[in-house]
Amino acid sequence: MERKIKILIVEDEMIIAANISLQLTELGYEVTGIVPRGEEALMHIKSEIPDILLLDINLKGDLDGIETALAMQKSHDIPVIYLTANSDNAHFERAKETHPYGFIAKPFKKLDLQRAIQLTITQVNSKNGRDSESRPQESNPSILNDCIFVRHLNSMVKVNIEDILYIEAERNYCRIFTRNKEYLLVITLKEMDKKLPSKHFLRIHRSYIINISQIKEIATSHIVIARKAIPIGKSLKNELLKRLQTI
């Protein structure tokens, strides 16, 4: 069993910090600490190195969040996700110098937090995978006749084929949508299309693969699945109509 991803929260509003900690725990991550000052974060990292630094930009004290990240990066390469209530250009340009993995604007939802962390993990895995013999497991989902096994957080999860609504491309990633959950995989949509059983799935757009049985509505330029309008590529519409006639 793999260890949990460790996250250090650096946030001087303790109610917000406590809420973030609770959400991270519910999502399956390990919170290594909650500290309100940049100086304390640097001390904490000396004794326990987290996998991700969740860092408020507008910290009180001698160091703000960006200065804390710059100081940390002199000795450690820890992915940084910034929390910010101030999205002006000056802060953004300063923050860019630290090459953060993400920004989360306050106030934010649990899903915003989850997506930012998942994207950070997949980016780190992808970068590490290029430098080692083993690719991240997300890039090789195990696909059987009736289900697909994907890595979610720290475990392999079984997703039934019939429960998949559609799959959307995000650059070199794929996001699988079911009715209740989303799974982000390090694999291109083209490679995913090769692996999926054609009996159930069809690529109808350069950015979408759909589960044909989940279609609720067909319009001139799009189909609807679970209230989501998904565009149909002009060259792929005839194939979709042909497949629907054979079901």
Side-chain angles (χ1 to χ4, degrees), residues 15 65 68 127 135 152 217:
I15 293 177
T68 300
K127 182 173 71 172
R135 293 293 300 170
H152 182 59
E217 180 183 333

Side-chain angles (χ1 to χ4, degrees), residues 45-70:
I45 290 168
K46 288 181 179 179
S47 60
E48 183 170 12
I49 300 175
D51 297 301
I52 295 173
L53 199 59
L54 208 55
L55 182 59
D56 184 21
I57 286 181
N58 301 302
L59 292 173
K60 299 179 180 69
D62 293 335
L63 300 175
D64 67 11
I66 298 168
E67 291 166 335
T68 300
L70 287 169

Side-chain angles (χ1 to χ4, degrees), residues 61-93:
D62 293 335
L63 300 175
D64 67 11
I66 298 168
E67 291 166 335
T68 300
L70 287 169
M72 176 274 293
Q73 290 172 345
K74 291 178 180 178
S75 56
H76 296 86
D77 182 19
I78 302 171
V80 171
I81 300 174
Y82 283 119
L83 305 171
T84 179
N86 188 342
S87 57
D88 63 40
N89 284 336
H91 279 84
F92 181 73
E93 290 302 320

Side-chain angles (χ1 to χ4, degrees), residues 164-179:
I164 297 175
L165 301 175
Y166 59 92
I167 302 166
E168 182 177 1
E170 291 188 15
R171 296 185 180 180
N172 292 325
Y173 309 122
C174 280
R175 190 176 295 278
I176 294 178
F177 289 83
T178 68
R179 293 199 180 279

Side-chain angles (χ1 to χ4, degrees), residues 143-199:
I143 299 176
L144 306 178
N145 289 331
D146 61 347
C147 66
I148 174 172
F149 283 89
V150 300
R151 185 168 295 283
H152 182 59
L153 302 180
N154 295 303
S155 60
M156 295 300 287
V157 177
K158 177 182 177 182
V159 181
N160 291 325
I161 291 290
E162 62 185 22
D163 293 334
I164 297 175
L165 301 175
Y166 59 92
I167 302 166
E168 182 177 1
E170 291 188 15
R171 296 185 180 180
N172 292 325
Y173 309 122
C174 280
R175 190 176 295 278
I176 294 178
F177 289 83
T178 68
R179 293 199 180 279
N180 301 314
K181 287 187 177 181
E182 300 174 19
Y183 304 94
L184 189 65
L185 310 181
V186 184
I187 184 173
T188 64
L189 196 69
K190 181 178 179 180
E191 288 301 312
M192 193 70 179
D193 191 27
K194 293 177 182 178
K195 292 175 175 288
L196 289 168
S198 58
K199 176 182 176 182

